[in-house]
Amino acid sequence: MQEKLLETIERFDTIIICRHVRPDPDAFGSQLGLAELIRENTTKTVYTVGEDEKSLSFLATMDEVDTETFKDALVIICDTANRGRIDEERYALAKETFKVDHHPEIDDYADASWVDTSYSSTSEMITRWFEETAKPNGWKMNQTSARVLYAGIVGDTGRFRHPNTTEHTFRAAGVLMEQGIDLPELFRNLYRKPLPLLRLEGELLRTVSLSEYGVAAIRVSDEQLKQYEVSVNESSALVNAISDLEGLLTWGMFVEQEDGTYRVRLRSKGPIVNKIAEKHNGGGHPLAAGASANSEEEIDTIISQLNEAAKQFSSRTQ
């Protein structure tokens, strides 16, 4: 599929690259990194689309594209497992679509797909596609592309600490570092926390408790978000605030939105959480997933399911 991606790109004059809603560094990194690679090595017109994300604006901002442009374009969708999470409904108008993703395949929505869960991130996929396929065909990489791809790999591996980090991940990072990325600048921007966010984090940490099975829950009310002037998207920076808690196996962050529903982020050090997320209008990776909850009662159900998963995991590993 790597060769097919290159061949497909070569057939089109206009290319639009999408990614998922509420983008994280990997969504931005793979989308922008691939776009910059194409711009650097071809004369094609390339657009990146989707909602801008304030916390990632230091990487880039999105393009405005009219509907007519989609009709003769190739649309590449990065880092998005199912069509409901694509941050651009007009993707379906495209002449051809191509999916590049490292999440488990749950929705075969594109004309062609390169899906491989062995990669740490979609940004790693794009990096290795460059090294193994595009570069042998004469393509070059510039620092702009390398910077955003590195940000994507760092984001999805938790700074190379998560179990999805492999020797291939480090090799890909090395390829990107050869372009002279300013790593201190990149890390400062990726992990900076405004004072209001830091104060909200302090309040949340005071209320954290751990169940007998090693499960913790972080609940963030709409009232708290407004009090500290933190957006729902910005609150995502706090999901790993308790990751070093002794005895922690799995945890959930439940953020209330203005409509009374909750954005759910699940993380784990062993128990599988994406199957739980799938029961609540979500999905993701085995150890990192997202979902939605419509009520406090549904949150309680998710927490019970996390405890059951942690209990079963502990019984298997003892």
Side-chain angles (χ1 to χ4, degrees), residues 153-179:
I153 292 174
V154 165
D156 257 27
T157 61
R159 289 177 266 189
F160 305 102
R161 297 184 304 166
H162 296 339
N164 60 353
T165 306
T166 68
E167 66 272 23
H168 301 294
T169 310
F170 284 112
R171 290 192 190 108
V175 168
L176 301 174
M177 289 183 67
E178 289 173 359
Q179 304 304 316

Side-chain angles (χ1 to χ4, degrees), residues 12 41 52 57 80 88 91 99 121 143 165 199 224 229 277 283 292 300-301 310:
F12 283 83
N41 293 281
D52 278 311
S57 61
T80 311
E88 176 51 79
Y91 84 92
K99 175 184 180 182
S121 55
Q143 191 177 105
T165 306
R199 286 174 171 157
Q224 287 174 309
E229 298 181 338
S292 301
D300 291 339
T301 297

Side-chain angles (χ1 to χ4, degrees), residues 46 74 86-87 103 117 119 122 143 160 182 187 207 248 289:
V46 185
L74 165 66
I86 302 173
D87 194 4
H103 296 91
T117 59
Y119 289 87
T122 308
Q143 191 177 105
F160 305 102
D182 185 343
F187 276 89
T207 64
L248 182 68

Side-chain angles (χ1 to χ4, degrees), residues 72-126:
D72 288 320
L74 165 66
V75 169
I76 302 173
I77 305 103
C78 293
D79 199 43
T80 311
N82 57 295
R83 70 192 73 199
R85 298 199 72 225
I86 302 173
D87 194 4
E88 176 51 79
E89 293 181 355
R90 294 175 295 173
Y91 84 92
L93 299 175
K95 197 165 189 178
E96 198 166 327
T97 55
F98 203 115
K99 175 184 180 182
V100 182
D101 189 27
H102 73 126
H103 296 91
E105 180 78 276
I106 59 173
D107 186 357
D108 185 16
Y109 57 75
D111 295 314
S113 296
W114 175 27
V115 176
D116 193 330
T117 59
S118 68
Y119 289 87
S120 70
S121 55
T122 308
S123 293
E124 183 188 333
M125 292 177 73
I126 299 300

Side-chain angles (χ1 to χ4, degrees), residues 14 30 34 66 91-92 153 187 207 281 293 311:
T14 302
S30 55
L34 179 57
D66 62 72
Y91 84 92
I153 292 174
F187 276 89
T207 64
N281 196 33
K311 179 182 177 182

